[in-house]
Amino acid sequence: MIATEPLQDASRESFVEMLRAAGLRTTGPRLATLGVLIQRPHADTETVIRQVRSELGTVSAQAIYNVLATLVQGELVRRIEPAGSPALYELRVGDNHHHIVCRLCGAVADVDCAVGHRPCLTPSETHGYVLDEAEVTYWGYCPKCQASRGSHSASTTEETTGN
Amino acid sequence: MIATEPLQDASRESFVEMLRAAGLRTTGPRLATLGVLIQRPHADTETVIRQVRSELGTVSAQAIYNVLATLVQGELVRRIEPAGSPALYELRVGDNHHHIVCRLCGAVADVDCAVGHRPCLTPSETHGYVLDEAEVTYWGYCPKCQASRGSHSASTTEETTGN
DNA sequence: TTCTAATTATGGAGTAACTCAAAAGATCGT
DNA sequence: ACGATCTTTTGAGTTACTCCATAATTAGAA
């Protein structure tokens, strides 16, 4: 499942459109990165690098850092950074959804936000701050880690994420 | 305001008690760290190191990393890690309060949680996860950064935090 | 109070996850 | 196809840690 994904090919057209709509040039690393993120929501940088390389051959890590930063800035990609985890990236943007993170293996799952737009919650006291977003991170144990409780056998398998 | 703070001396007794209650030995770096955190909620490691040194003289950075980790484990201190920021530490534990973070300067303020115990929110769909905490981070602009909008003059002054 | 066992601090090395900058290369409007 | 502009490469540098072996300190027993 490394060369010529049908899924990728099918999405390629829309990726090009997405990039153009954001005023960005279409380059190999950008298309490949979008392809990885469609297949692996919540991928970290290292996963994106590995997957993009398996598709395109040699690509510098710096290029991927640039691509991800550009896509985030262009609002095609959202970056999250749960405590203790490196940055994770996802294609789902604009719906202000939230995340559940497993304390043991770091697996991430999406949770729809009941409100759906930012900020979905507002505190009673804002200390003079002007708020535009409420980010909610739920912490707990994923199904797999619940099974192997006590024997803390983390990091061997993941769940909803695909690192 | 560097040597012999009255505040510190007043709190010293209760710090000793806190440590003993958690089954921890009372050492200089630990007492000094607690002292710093009472004066500067949301201090980062580097701030704690600097302040502890100004009080005790030479203390290794590693010692402070150890102290902070120990205090967090003993539940005397809470560690938060807003995206884009190094770890921050605070003495307020056990009330499940939340935080407002300034997008420009990183200043952090506390927000009381209406519910007050964990988890204060529960999502509709948990994907099989067992949840024990809902962490809310509000993002926005602190009063000082609102004043200097557009001219992005961040990082010069802080607000509620004291880095 | 002194000793001993366990814990804690030091110093030095090492790592992950980035960021910065200059030069070579690719993209796209014309 | 051309050239201005944007991307990628290459390589160095930074931050915020973590790991380890050794030395120092502490708490509680004798």
Side-chain angles (χ1 to χ4, degrees):
Chain A
M1 48 182 76
I2 276 167
T4 40
E5 285 90 341
L7 172 62
Q8 203 108 298
D9 295 340
S11 318
R12 197 191 153 95
E13 266 311 304
S14 65
F15 289 159
V16 172
E17 278 171 43
M18 286 165 67
L19 288 169
R20 307 206 62 132
L24 298 173
R25 292 184 178 176
T26 64
T27 70
R30 286 177 182 172
L31 292 173
T33 296
L34 291 170
V36 169
L37 293 182
I38 244 190
Q39 294 182 122
R40 307 200 163 209
H42 317 121
D44 61 12
T45 309
E46 132 99 36
T47 300
V48 175
I49 291 171
R50 192 159 17 82
Q51 289 295 109
V52 167
R53 281 182 181 157
S54 80
E55 195 183 324
L56 301 185
T58 308
V59 181
S60 71
Q62 186 56 56
I64 304 301
Y65 277 103
N66 290 346
V67 165
L68 289 169
T70 302
L71 295 178
V72 167
Q73 188 152 25
E75 299 188 57
L76 298 183
V77 164
R78 181 170 161 201
R79 172 189 172 123
I80 62 170
E81 218 175 310
S85 166
L88 307 178
Y89 298 87
E90 64 185 353
L91 278 179
R92 235 182 114 176
V93 293
D95 64 347
N96 193 238
H97 68 277
H98 303 301
H99 297 99
I100 309 184
V101 185
C102 177
R103 289 207 137 93
L104 295 182
C105 73
V108 176
D110 287 330
V111 186
D112 286 321
C113 175
V115 180
H117 57 80
R118 310 188 306 167
C120 54
L121 286 173
T122 38
S124 41
E125 230 301 79
T126 62
H127 298 276
Y129 282 57
V130 174
L131 304 184
D132 55 29
E133 182 179 354
E135 179 185 18
V136 182
T137 305
Y138 295 98
W139 294 92
Y141 300 90
C142 75
K144 285 201 177 139
C145 287
Q146 284 166 50
S148 54
R149 267 285 186 61
S151 61
H152 280 216
S153 64
S155 79
T156 32
T157 48
E158 302 274 312
E159 220 268 308
T160 321
T161 202
N163 301 341
Chain B
M1 48 183 75
I2 276 168
T4 39
E5 284 91 339
L7 172 62
Q8 203 109 296
D9 296 340
S11 318
R12 196 190 154 93
E13 266 311 304
S14 65
F15 289 160
V16 172
E17 279 170 42
M18 286 165 67
L19 288 169
R20 307 205 64 133
L24 299 173
R25 295 184 176 176
T26 64
T27 70
R30 286 177 182 174
L31 292 173
T33 295
L34 291 170
V36 170
L37 294 182
I38 244 189
Q39 295 181 121
R40 308 198 163 212
H42 317 121
D44 61 12
T45 309
E46 135 100 34
T47 300
V48 175
I49 292 172
R50 192 158 17 82
Q51 289 295 109
V52 167
R53 281 183 179 155
S54 81
E55 195 183 324
L56 301 185
T58 308
V59 181
S60 71
Q62 186 55 56
I64 303 301
Y65 276 103
N66 291 345
V67 165
L68 288 169
T70 303
L71 294 178
V72 167
Q73 189 151 26
E75 298 189 56
L76 298 183
V77 163
R78 181 170 160 202
R79 171 187 171 123
I80 62 169
E81 218 174 309
S85 165
L88 307 178
Y89 298 88
E90 64 185 351
L91 279 179
R92 238 181 113 177
V93 294
D95 63 345
N96 194 240
H97 68 276
H98 304 300
H99 296 99
I100 308 185
V101 185
C102 177
R103 290 209 137 93
L104 295 181
C105 72
V108 176
D110 288 329
V111 186
D112 287 322
C113 175
V115 179
H117 58 79
R118 309 187 308 167
C120 54
L121 287 173
T122 39
S124 42
E125 229 303 77
T126 63
H127 297 276
Y129 282 57
V130 173
L131 304 183
D132 55 29
E133 183 179 353
E135 178 185 19
V136 182
T137 305
Y138 295 98
W139 294 93
Y141 299 90
C142 75
K144 285 199 178 141
C145 287
Q146 284 167 51
S148 54
R149 266 285 186 61
S151 59
H152 280 217
S153 63
S155 79
T156 31
T157 48
E158 303 276 312
E159 221 270 306
T160 321
T161 203
N163 298 343

